[in-house]
Each structure stands twice: as structure tokens, then as C-alpha cells.
């Protein structure tokens, strides 16, 4: 049985058509099985394997082979591949796929314009979106990655951090520190709303913002923070002093910070170098915010407090932010710990198609 099917090969047009059929969201199960069977045979699989994968009998596969030999693509209900109004030929679809693989479309309108200019076909925006999905594209945001992140430095940091955690004494603790500047602005975000209902969020006209410098312990989710008119070496020292006051039993408090200028400020060094100092600063690699879990806490805070929320006054906004850190975080931190973690990885631009 295997030898009989080794001679089954598809033309480029047939292969492209059957691959497109198998990618469709709505396709008859039997038609999908037939298309997949011939794609597997064309790829070199023997008939016995194809029958096992698709759970069909050998006689069924024999019948399909003879029907396909006589009817071609019409055996799958694919009767017309010539260009006609509202449809693209296989060759045109291949050209569209190649073009937008090399030059990603920002929206469906760009797809419509390209198809009209190159294929002389008029597509609506919804039709263009369906075309792109059928061709294997998804509408999504690219991931924003630091352009200058150093892979070796990231790996070295992760190794150093893991060594520290593995050797951490019972009277030592580790925190991650950073500053956040929530602005008194309404932030529209996706949500579930009644279909057909016009939904709006009141905008705020002010530009006031809070300046918060905090430190988060991932073991207990203890959050230590100070607030000031601006974040500088002085607020950094205030926050570090507060860490020491709140953790009298700890002989060492390891604080991971980024490379902001105020963390390296000369006026901070005498205090840090003091013999009685229990705070020890550790610096993150440059351009690697993904290695600071507190960055994820800021995202959780915004989703919880500011997304789709309107605060008429800055005082109301301030109270909501502080309530999150003082009440919500201590009460609900088990819900957040899957998001705010030290599950670090090295980010490499080589893993991505960079646009």
C-alpha cells in the first residue's frame, strides 16, 4: 500500500490551495481530512501512516486517490481558482502573503489599498481582515524590546541573582526598587460592555502626578515606599532608611535598583558606605527593565486603579493609588504573585522578527 502512494505529488498551485483550505476556521471535517491526507502523502508520509493519523481505512484512501486523480481540486469543493470579482487567485494570495510578511500592514486599510493596486480587486476592511487571517496573519501588537539590551550582561545578572537567592541567610532579605509616576489621567482600556451600547470614559484635564519610590519583597509582598515632589537621591535615602527601620531583625537588605543617576549620586555614597549600613545596593544591567519585577507591579496597579476609572479630583486619585499600596496589595497579593515574579529570562532580538 505504501509504494502505491509514493508517486502522489501535488503541483504548487494544488499544494497552496489545500494548505489554505486546512487553515480555514470553518471547513467541513471530511473535506479537511481529504486535504490533509494528500498534503501528508505529498510530504512523503506512507499511506499506512496517513490512515493511522487521520483514522481512516486504506480502502477509503484508495477511493480518494482515484477521485482526486479524475477531479483534481474540485474533489475538495474547490472548483474555481481563476481571478474573479472579490476573490484572489492562488498566485495573488501568495504574493499578498509575501508582501505583508516583508512589510507588515498596520491596518486593514493598507491591505485594501495594496490588493486594489496590485490585484485590481475591491475588498472591504472586514473582507481584508478575513483574507489576512486566512493567509496566516494575526492582528496583534509587536513586543517592545530594549534596542541596546546586552544578552551576556542579562545572563550574568540572572546567574548572580540565583546564586544570591540560593545562599540567602534567614536574617537577610531581597527587594526590588523603582520609581513610578502615576498621572491624574483617565486611562481607557478594553473591557466587556453591552453590545450596541455607546461607552465613554470621562477625561481629566489636569496634569498633576504622584512621584513614588518603592521597594517590593517578592517573598512577603511587603511594599515600602515614600512619596515626594520629585524622585532624587534624597527620596532614595528616605526609602532605604525606611526599609532598615521596618526590618530591624535583618542583618542584610539586598536592594536591586536600575541605573538612574540618583542611585549613583555622590551625596548618597557616604551614607551607603557607613559601617552600620545593612542596605546593600545591586544594580540591574542597563536597558533591562524586564529584570525588575516591580515594573510588573506598576502594571498591576494601573489595571486595578486607573484603567476605566475616572477620578474627579487629584485628591481622589491620590487616595485610590495609596489605598492600592496600603490595603489592596497586602490583602490580595496571592492574586498578583503569578504576574509579579522573578521568573527571569534573557531577551534576545534574535528570537524576534524586528520591524
Amino acid at each position: 500500500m505504501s509504494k502505491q502512494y509514493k508517486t502522489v505529488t501535488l503541483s504548487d498551485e494544488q499544494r497552496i490551495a489545500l494548505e489554505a483550505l486546512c487553515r480555514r476556521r470553518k471547513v467541513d471535517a471530511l473535506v479537511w481530512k481529504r486535504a490533509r491526507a494528500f498534503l501528508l502523502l505529498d510530504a512523503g508520509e506512507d499511506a499506512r501512516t496517513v490512515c493511522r493519523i487521520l483514522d481512516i481505512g486504506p480502502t477509503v484512501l484508495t477511493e480518494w486517490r482515484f477521485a482526486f486523480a479524475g477531479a483534481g481540486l474540485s474533489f475538495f469543493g474547490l472548483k474555481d481558482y481563476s481571478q474573479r470579482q472579490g476573490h484572489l487567485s492562488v498566485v495573488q494570495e501568495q504574493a499578498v502573503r509575501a508582501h505583508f510578511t516583508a512589510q507588515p500592514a498596520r491596518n486593514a486599510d493598507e491591505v485594501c489599498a495594496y490588493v486594489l493596486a496590485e490585484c485590481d480587486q475591491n475588498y472591504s476592511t472586514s473582507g481584508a481582515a478575513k483574507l489576512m487571517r486566512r493567509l496566516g496573519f494575526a492582528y496583534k501588537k509587536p513586543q517592545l524590546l530594549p534596542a541596546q539590551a546586552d544578552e551576556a550582561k542579562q545572563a550574568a545578572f540572572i546567574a548572580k541573582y540565583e546564586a544570591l537567592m540560593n545562599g540567602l541567610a534567614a536574617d537577610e532579605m531581597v527587594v526590588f526598587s523603582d520609581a513610578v509616576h502615576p498621572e491624574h489621567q483617565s486611562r481607557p482600556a478594553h473591557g466587556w460592555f453591552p453590545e450596541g451600547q455607546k461607552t465613554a470614559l470621562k477625561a481629566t484635564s489636569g496634569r498633576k502626578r504622584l512621584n513614588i519610590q518603592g521597594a517590593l519583597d517578592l517573598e512577603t509582598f511587603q511594599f515600602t515606599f515614600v512619596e515626594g515632589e520629585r524622585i532624587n537621591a534624597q527620596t532614595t535615602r528616605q526609602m532605604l532608611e525606611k526599609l532598615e527601620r521596618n526590618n530591624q531583625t535583618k542583618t542584610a537588605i539586598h536592594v536591586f535598583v536600575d541605573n538612574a543617576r540618583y542611585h549613583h549620586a555622590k551625596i548618597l555614597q557616604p551614607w551607603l558606605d557607613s559601617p552600620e549600613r545593612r542596605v546593600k545596593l545591586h544594580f540591574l544591567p542597563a536597558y533591562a527593565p524586564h529584570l525588575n519585577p516591580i515594573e510588573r507591579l506598576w502594571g498591576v496597579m494601573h489595571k486595578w486603579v486607573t484603567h476605566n476609572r475616572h477620578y474627579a479630583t487629584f485628591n481622589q486619585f491620590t487616595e485610590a493609588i495609596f489605598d492600592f499600596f496600603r490595603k489592596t496589595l497586602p490583602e490580595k497579593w496571592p492574586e498578583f504573585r503569578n504576574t509579579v515574579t522573578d521568573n527571569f529570562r534573557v531577551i534576545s532580538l534574535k528570537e524576534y522578527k524586528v520591524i
Side-chain angles (χ1 to χ4, degrees):
M1 180 171 66
S2 301
K3 293 181 179 179
Q4 180 183 4
Y5 290 99
K6 284 186 177 179
T7 58
V8 173
T9 56
L10 302 173
S11 68
D12 289 342
E13 183 179 38
Q14 289 171 335
R15 191 177 302 109
I16 292 169
L18 295 184
E19 287 173 348
L21 187 151
C22 288
R23 285 197 300 270
R24 290 181 185 174
R25 291 189 175 185
K26 294 182 179 180
V27 61
D28 182 81
L30 180 59
V31 173
W32 184 91
K33 273 193 175 185
R34 289 173 176 175
R36 181 53 61 191
F38 284 94
L39 287 171
L40 288 169
L41 290 171
D42 180 61
E45 296 289 351
D46 61 73
R48 191 182 305 278
T49 301
V50 172
C51 290
R52 187 180 69 253
I53 291 173
L54 298 178
D55 193 24
I56 57 176
T59 56
V60 173
L61 191 58
T62 301
E63 292 173 1
W64 287 359
R65 177 179 180 271
F66 284 113
F68 176 68
L73 290 175
S74 62
F75 173 59
F76 305 93
L78 305 174
K79 299 177 181 179
D80 185 0
Y81 275 81
S82 60
Q83 182 177 348
R84 59 195 185 275
Q85 186 62 31
H87 295 266
L88 302 181
S89 69
V90 171
V91 174
Q92 287 174 326
E93 286 194 352
Q94 193 174 16
V96 171
R97 183 188 294 113
H99 175 78
F100 288 117
T101 297
Q103 303 175 46
R106 289 170 292 184
N107 51 55
D109 289 339
E110 290 188 1
V111 178
C112 293
Y114 175 83
V115 171
L116 179 61
E118 299 297 325
C119 308
D120 195 28
Q121 295 294 337
N122 242 319
Y123 268 64
S124 65
T125 53
S126 61
K130 290 178 181 178
L131 170 67
M132 294 297 281
R133 285 193 290 269
R134 189 168 72 251
L135 294 180
F137 292 87
Y139 190 69
K140 60 184 180 180
K141 284 184 180 180
Q143 188 171 342
L144 191 63
L145 298 179
Q148 297 171 289
D150 187 304
E151 294 177 38
K153 290 181 179 178
Q154 293 178 61
F157 169 82
I158 294 172
K160 182 179 178 182
Y161 172 74
E162 290 177 349
L164 172 66
M165 295 303 293
N166 289 333
L168 198 70
D171 60 354
E172 295 181 317
M173 67 183 292
V174 171
V175 299
F176 287 86
S177 178
D178 189 33
V180 67
H181 312 276
E183 192 174 73
H184 181 210
Q185 289 290 323
S186 301
R187 290 180 171 230
H190 286 88
W192 291 101
F193 304 101
E195 187 174 356
Q197 171 189 285
K198 290 185 176 181
T199 306
L201 178 66
K202 289 182 179 180
T204 50
S205 58
R207 290 293 183 270
K208 290 184 178 180
R209 70 178 190 177
L210 291 168
N211 296 290
I212 297 171
Q213 191 163 8
L216 179 68
D217 180 347
L218 293 180
E219 290 295 318
T220 64
F221 265 64
Q222 172 188 307
F223 182 69
T224 305
F225 72 97
V226 296
E227 189 253 338
E229 292 186 7
R230 61 179 58 84
I231 301 301
N232 51 29
Q234 182 179 358
T235 55
T236 299
R237 176 170 170 172
Q238 290 172 353
M239 191 270 296
L240 296 175
E241 287 175 335
K242 192 171 183 179
L243 267 174
E244 290 194 341
R245 286 198 307 272
N246 292 351
N247 298 279
Q248 298 285 346
T249 61
K250 300 298 181 182
T251 60
I253 303 173
H254 301 276
V255 184
F256 286 86
V257 296
D258 61 22
N259 288 276
R261 292 175 64 182
Y262 46 78
H263 290 144
H264 294 279
K266 291 181 179 180
I267 61 173
L268 192 60
Q269 291 309 309
W271 183 84
L272 287 170
D273 294 338
S274 174
E276 69 269 16
R277 196 84 296 119
R278 291 179 290 129
V279 162
K280 302 180 186 301
L281 293 191
H282 302 264
F283 291 93
L284 298 166
Y287 309 108
H290 62 287
L291 297 178
N292 194 345
I294 202 172
E295 294 276 5
R296 302 170 197 173
L297 178 63
W298 305 151
V300 171
M301 177 268 292
H302 278 298
K303 287 180 181 179
W304 195 272
V305 181
T306 69
H307 287 186
N308 291 340
R309 298 287 188 275
H310 170 73
Y311 301 96
T313 67
F314 183 65
N315 285 342
Q316 291 174 348
F317 173 75
T318 299
E319 183 178 354
I321 295 290
F322 287 161
D323 274 354
F324 173 82
F325 291 128
R326 290 169 175 160
K327 297 179 182 178
T328 306
L329 187 58
E331 292 173 1
K332 298 186 177 292
W333 67 267
E335 297 179 24
F336 304 146
R337 62 185 317 169
N338 287 337
T339 301
V340 186
T341 72
D342 57 358
N343 184 20
F344 298 141
R345 66 186 181 92
V346 174
I347 287 184
S348 170
L349 291 176
K350 298 173 187 175
E351 301 172 6
Y352 297 82
K353 163 71 174 176
V354 180
I355 58 176

